[in-house]
């Protein structure tokens, strides 16, 4: 990757600026400015997240914001209320208070002497979420946003629930947020009362995973902040960016279909990361692409971006399944509008163990998947690390009903969401169905293309689920994740149906026997015909960025991802141990420019018996350290989820140390009734 040292505008960095809120709370901002901005005001670009601008995102902030500042923008990295060095408490995701604070901050930025009055928002993940949500509030200075790896629907497409099933990532991500929000502010920024502010955070720390588990259905809690409730509220231009290896791809086609104002979409092969450095590749010059967007909407320059097709995606091709891919073969394709009128449904019928162009006579097949079905799934969303990608699906296929097409006589490209219409019956009032679309190579290797999870109690409504009547026959529509994929000649299309998907989702309360009716169940693939204009798409620039701050790695913790099976007990244990994302493989690192030593490690453990969902157990353990001179703090956080058929039990312990002395401790031990979950 090219590292750019010289820019059109010289840049100065203000390490901390307090942005005042109307209620007296101060939000902490780091600002990159062209040195002549007060004489020649520039547009502002705001990034607004809880991930500690001072340390945890420092290494990724500098290359990003200095790059834009060097091209004539004021860039602001703002800590949410109650996070990093900001005052107050972080009580939950995307509260109205968070959004109101953003509107105040945008007004403050627009009024600064170095700002032209034009403001944009951009962000990845949390920052992408709130960029959409703030846009829906229509603050006058906000002229455009870039939202990356985000969602328009907080219930259906986020880390808490998928298809009405509880994701294990609810515990994982909630535990990470608990640790992050409980970390102390930096004394060099907030001064001598850092200790009082830290205690205030610890004494009031919410147990985030518990908060979210108390909303198992799509109620008003989840509708807040879900811009799909009223797409028309978002009137400013939107650039939506994501990757097929991320968990947030479905929102992008919905945004393109639902928004009415100017909009663009870009989906690469990437994971949950910026496209200039994301895996799998190919990476692109995303900072240059973003500049084309900002120059058009914040500076009024004709960059040609809006003359290009609305939706541009990476059409993936088969690659042998592996735990990590450095590159995904494929090519860039585009559609002028979305939904595209060029797509046509291709229907395949689920016959007895086959996918056919015609339906055979009706028959029935039965499956009761082992609880360990899903160990080849990879992570719900990944960051490009080893072990995150779905591996060879043959093991999971063997625990599922599978339906194979004949080897394809010609290439078949799809773009959009495959849909399975299934006729089925189950023997429990609560049951899940998992549908996977796989590409089977001539050598038998099975690569996952797309998948979907559905809690069958939500077959008709996310808001008002209803128990199933055991033995009754139902027709359900299962919409798989959006994808662009090319099946090669000689390859086989496989549809796999199972009742479990561990450890992606928490298992159903009881073991489920599912009957699938063949001959009447079918799969629809969104077939995309060739488009000659794809060959003429503008090539992306090579990746580049500004320099990164100096970091010294002090300790490397080995990355581990292991599955253990005890053949005497039937238990399987899935262990993941890793370090902090923005510090690479460093478990302990020193940020040289602020003389701060930071450490972070996390370990996740998932246990389950092949045939007993009541044995499911998930545990997350984290350690976070900060040290500078005589100042030293450490957080130890442990959370655990277990369940009976009737209730979840969620426990947590948070220990905070100053030096080696215990400073504060919080403990949680709560039960949550399983409401059709």
């Amino acid at each position: 990757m090219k590292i750019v040292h010289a820019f059109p505008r010289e840049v100065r960095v203000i390490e901390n600026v307090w942005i005042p809120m109307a209620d007296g709370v101060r939000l902490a901002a780091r600002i990159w400015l062209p040195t002549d901005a007060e004489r020649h005001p520039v547009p502002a670009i705001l990034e607004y997240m809880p991930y500690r601008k001072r340390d945890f995102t420092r290494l990724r902030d500098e290359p990003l914001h200095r790059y834009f500042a060097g091209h004539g923008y004021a860039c602001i990295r703002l800590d949410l209320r109650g996070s990093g060095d900001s005052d107050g408490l972080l009580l939950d995701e995307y509260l109205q208070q968070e959004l109101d604070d953003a509107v105040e901050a945008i007004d403050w930025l627009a009024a600064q002497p170095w700002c032209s009055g034009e403001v944009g928002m951009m962000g990845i993940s949390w920052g992408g979420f709130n960029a959409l949500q703030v846009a829906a509030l229509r603050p006058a200075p906000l002229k455009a946003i870039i939202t990356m790896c985000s969602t328009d629907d907080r219930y259906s497409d986020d880390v808490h629930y998928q298809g009405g099933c509880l994701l294990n990532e609810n515990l994982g991500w909630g535990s990470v947020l608990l640790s992050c929000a409980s970390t102390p502010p930096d004394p060099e920024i907030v001064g001598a009362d850092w200790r009082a502010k830290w205690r205030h955070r610890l004494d009031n720390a919410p147990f985030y995973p518990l908060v979210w588990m108390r909303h198992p259905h799509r109620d008003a809690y989840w509708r807040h902040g879900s811009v799909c409730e009223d797409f028309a509220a978002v009137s400013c231009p939107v650039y939506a960016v994501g990757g097929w290896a991320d968990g947030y791809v479905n929102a992008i086609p919905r945004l393109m279909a639902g928004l009415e104002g100017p909009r663009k979409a870009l989906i690469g092969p990437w994971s949950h990361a910026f496209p200039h450095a994301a895996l799998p590749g190919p990476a692109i010059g995303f900072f240059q692409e973003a500049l084309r967007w900002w120059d058009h909407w914040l500076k009024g320059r004709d960059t040609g971006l809006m003359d290009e097709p609305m939706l541009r995606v990476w059409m993936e091709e088969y690659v042998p399944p592996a735990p990590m891919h450095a590159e995904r073969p494929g090519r860039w394709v585009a559609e002028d509008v979305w939904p595209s009128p060029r797509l046509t449904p291709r229907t395949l019928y689920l016959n007895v163990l086959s996918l056919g162009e015609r339906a055979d006579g009706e028959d029935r097949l039965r499956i009761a998947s082992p609880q360990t079905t899903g160990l080849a799934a990879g992570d719900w969303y990944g960051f490009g690390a080893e072990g995150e990608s779905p591996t060879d699906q043959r093991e999971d296929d063997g625990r599922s009903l599978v339906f194979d097409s004949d080897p394809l006589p010609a290439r078949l490209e799809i773009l959009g969401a495959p849909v399975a219409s299934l006729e089925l019956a189950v023997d429990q009032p609560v049951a899940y169905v998992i549908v996977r679309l796989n590409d089977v190579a001539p050598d038998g290797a099975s690569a996952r293309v797309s998948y979907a999870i559905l809690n069958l109690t939500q077959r008709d409504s996310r808001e008002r689920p209803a128990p199933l009547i055991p033995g009754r026959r139902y027709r359900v529509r299962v919409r798989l994740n959006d994808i662009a994929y090319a099946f090669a000649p000689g390859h086989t299309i496989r549809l796999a149906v199972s009742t479990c998907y561990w450890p992606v989702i928490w298992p159903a309360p009881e073991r489920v026997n599912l009957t699938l009716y063949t001959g009447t169940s079918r799969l629809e693939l969104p077939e995309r015909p060739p488009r000659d204009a794809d060959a003429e798409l503008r090539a992306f620039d090579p990746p580049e960025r500004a320099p990164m701050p100096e970091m010294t790695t002090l300790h490397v913790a080995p990355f581990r991802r292991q599955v253990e099976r005890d053949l005497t007990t039937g238990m399987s244990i899935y262990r993941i141990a890793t370090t902090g994302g923005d510090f690479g493989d460093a478990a302990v690192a020193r940020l040289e420019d602020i003389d701060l030593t930071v450490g972070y490690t996390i370990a996740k453990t998932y246990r389950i018996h092949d045939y007993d969902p009541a044995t499911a157990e998930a545990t997350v353990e984290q350690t976070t350290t900060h040290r500078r001179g005589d100042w030293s703090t450490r957080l130890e956080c442990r959370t655990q989820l277990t369940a009976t058929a009737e209730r979840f039990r969620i426990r947590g312990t948070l220990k905070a140390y100053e030096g080696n002395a215990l400073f504060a401790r919080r403990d949680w031990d709560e039960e949550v009734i399983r409401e059709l979950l």
Side-chain angles (χ1 to χ4, degrees):
M1 182 184 300
K2 180 181 178 182
I3 310 301
V4 180
H5 296 272
F7 294 98
R9 305 279 284 270
E10 186 180 346
V11 177
R12 68 185 179 100
V13 182
I14 306 173
E15 183 64 27
N16 190 76
V17 172
W18 297 112
I19 299 181
M21 300 291 105
D23 61 358
V25 165
R26 303 175 307 165
L27 302 187
R30 193 168 183 230
I31 299 179
W32 291 255
L33 280 175
T35 55
D36 61 349
E38 291 191 352
R39 289 182 287 109
H40 303 285
V42 295
I45 301 171
L46 172 65
E47 186 180 25
Y48 180 50
M49 299 188 302
Y51 305 134
R52 302 182 59 85
K53 62 158 177 74
R54 176 70 165 165
D55 43 53
F56 282 160
T57 64
R58 191 177 191 88
L59 295 182
R60 50 129 272 181
D61 290 347
E62 176 71 16
L64 167 71
H65 295 299
R66 181 176 289 274
Y67 188 93
F68 292 140
H71 286 89
Y73 291 90
C75 292
I76 299 89
R77 173 61 180 85
L78 183 63
D79 281 340
L80 265 62
R81 178 183 294 242
S83 70
D85 297 318
S86 290
D87 297 342
L89 297 171
L90 179 56
L91 299 177
D92 201 354
E93 301 174 307
Y94 319 120
L95 293 174
Q96 189 61 46
Q97 181 69 68
E98 173 184 335
L99 308 183
D100 292 343
D101 286 350
V103 171
E104 284 197 61
I106 287 169
D107 288 339
W108 184 89
L109 293 172
Q112 298 309 298
W114 37 259
C115 182
S116 66
E118 312 282 299
V119 179
M121 278 189 80
M122 73 176 296
I124 186 169
S125 200
W126 192 310
F129 277 55
N130 63 30
L132 277 170
Q133 294 161 5
V134 172
L137 299 178
R138 299 188 176 183
L142 185 63
K143 304 304 181 183
I145 67 169
I146 297 178
T147 178
M148 292 176 281
C149 302
S150 70
T151 190
D152 62 328
D153 191 330
R154 293 184 55 218
Y155 181 74
S156 297
D157 277 297
D158 197 6
V159 297
H160 313 296
Y161 298 92
Q162 182 170 350
C165 300
L166 178 66
L167 290 165
N168 269 319
E169 196 58 38
N170 182 79
L171 181 72
W173 158 239
S175 303
V176 170
L177 181 58
L178 175 61
S179 181
C180 182
S182 300
T183 304
D186 192 324
E188 282 196 349
I189 299 297
V190 302
D193 63 346
W194 72 271
R195 191 179 288 105
K197 292 179 182 291
W198 189 25
R199 185 171 294 280
H200 184 55
R201 287 183 184 177
L202 293 165
D203 290 346
N204 293 279
F207 195 22
Y208 300 107
L210 175 63
V211 172
W212 305 323
M213 288 178 65
R214 285 177 170 156
H215 298 274
H217 310 139
R218 197 175 190 279
D219 57 13
Y221 176 86
W222 299 112
R223 288 193 292 272
H224 167 75
S226 293
V227 299
C228 63
E229 293 292 307
D230 182 13
F231 281 124
V234 180
S235 59
C236 75
V238 174
Y239 199 171
V241 180
W244 298 128
D246 185 36
Y248 290 107
V249 296
N250 297 325
I252 297 177
R254 284 199 302 265
L255 286 167
M256 295 304 101
L259 294 174
E260 298 174 358
R263 56 204 185 275
K264 299 283 290 186
L266 174 63
I267 307 175
W270 314 303
S271 55
H272 198 72
F274 280 86
H276 72 289
L279 295 175
I284 66 167
F286 177 68
F287 290 179
Q288 301 97 301
E289 185 73 4
L291 274 177
R292 296 177 71 210
W293 176 261
W294 295 130
D295 286 351
H296 182 97
W297 293 110
L298 300 185
K299 293 184 177 179
R301 297 175 180 170
D302 184 4
T303 63
L305 183 66
M306 298 310 294
D307 298 327
E308 297 171 4
M310 175 189 290
L311 175 68
R312 183 165 175 174
V313 304
W314 185 253
M315 178 65 69
E316 295 190 337
E317 298 183 358
Y318 175 81
V319 63
M324 176 183 169
H325 297 287
E327 295 270 342
R328 283 299 305 246
R331 75 187 197 286
W332 290 108
V333 302
E335 296 293 334
D336 293 323
V337 296
W338 191 263
S340 172
R342 299 185 338 102
L343 304 181
T344 57
R346 178 164 180 173
T347 301
L348 298 172
Y349 291 90
L350 279 63
N351 297 317
V352 174
L353 304 182
S354 70
L355 279 177
E357 301 282 350
R358 296 178 177 82
D360 293 344
E362 183 178 300
D363 209 328
R364 63 185 68 182
L365 297 172
R366 295 177 179 86
I367 186 69
S369 300
Q371 300 300 316
T372 46
T373 308
L375 289 175
D379 288 356
W380 179 79
Y381 71 152
F383 297 86
E386 286 281 359
E388 291 176 349
S389 298
T391 52
D392 196 321
Q393 299 291 289
R394 279 181 282 192
E395 182 175 352
D396 285 346
D397 291 349
R399 296 164 180 249
S400 310
L401 293 176
V402 295
F403 304 88
D404 285 2
S405 72
D406 290 334
L408 292 172
R411 181 182 178 93
L412 171 63
E413 294 190 357
I414 62 173
L415 173 58
V419 175
S421 296
L422 306 179
E423 292 209 14
L424 52 78
V426 294
D427 66 344
Q428 297 292 337
V430 178
Y432 306 155
V433 64
I434 295 86
V435 179
R436 290 176 292 117
L437 177 65
N438 297 341
D439 180 352
V440 181
D443 66 359
S446 180
R448 197 184 74 190
V449 175
S450 182
Y451 76 103
I453 297 162
L454 177 61
N455 180 339
L456 291 169
T457 70
Q458 295 191 10
R459 61 198 177 276
D460 297 321
S461 172
R462 300 273 189 236
E463 292 80 8
R464 293 175 296 279
L468 299 128
I469 298 174
R472 174 179 286 187
R473 183 167 170 170
Y474 296 93
R475 174 170 283 277
V476 298
R477 183 177 186 272
V478 185
R479 183 187 186 280
L480 281 67
N481 291 332
D482 286 89
I483 189 65
Y485 192 83
F487 292 92
H491 284 228
T492 295
I493 299 172
R494 172 173 293 170
L495 197 74
V497 178
S498 64
T499 57
C500 306
Y501 213 43
W502 177 266
V504 175
I505 60 171
W506 196 264
E510 302 285 356
R511 193 166 183 230
V512 172
N513 290 276
L514 182 146
T515 300
L516 184 69
Y517 294 87
T518 62
T520 59
S521 297
R522 63 182 184 270
L523 169 68
E524 286 191 357
L525 297 174
E527 185 172 0
R528 179 184 187 268
R531 179 178 181 269
D532 293 339
D534 290 340
E536 301 171 3
L537 289 172
R538 177 186 180 275
F540 290 111
D541 294 331
E544 62 182 37
R545 61 168 172 82
M548 189 177 290
E550 184 180 355
M551 181 195 81
T552 302
T553 297
L554 302 178
H555 177 64
V556 174
F559 177 84
R560 296 195 305 274
R561 189 181 292 261
Q562 302 167 327
V563 176
E564 303 171 13
R565 286 180 172 164
D566 189 328
L567 300 181
T568 63
T569 66
M571 294 292 293
S572 292
I573 305 174
Y574 188 169
R575 305 180 194 273
I576 305 170
T578 185
T579 55
D582 284 334
F583 300 128
D585 61 357
V588 182
R590 185 168 59 247
L591 304 175
E592 299 293 353
D593 60 335
I594 55 173
D595 187 28
L596 180 68
T597 298
V598 183
Y600 179 75
T601 58
I602 182 170
K604 301 177 183 179
T605 305
Y606 305 99
R607 304 171 187 268
I608 203 165
H609 187 281
D610 266 342
Y611 302 111
D612 185 0
T615 61
E617 176 187 297
T619 304
V620 182
E621 297 171 289
Q622 301 170 88
T623 300
T624 307
T625 59
H626 284 79
R627 187 172 67 252
R628 180 192 294 112
D630 295 334
W631 178 61
S632 174
T633 67
R634 183 172 83 255
L635 274 177
E636 296 176 357
C637 180
R638 187 178 193 273
T639 59
Q640 185 180 68
L641 182 63
T642 56
T644 65
E646 296 79 27
R647 295 175 181 271
F648 291 106
R649 184 180 183 187
I650 183 168
R651 288 169 279 186
T653 299
L654 182 67
K655 297 178 183 178
Y657 295 86
E658 184 179 358
N660 293 319
L662 184 66
F663 179 74
R665 175 172 176 154
R666 295 290 307 279
D667 292 280
W668 297 269
D669 190 343
E670 301 281 347
E671 291 189 341
V672 179
I673 295 174
R674 298 183 71 161
E675 300 180 53
L676 299 180
L677 194 64

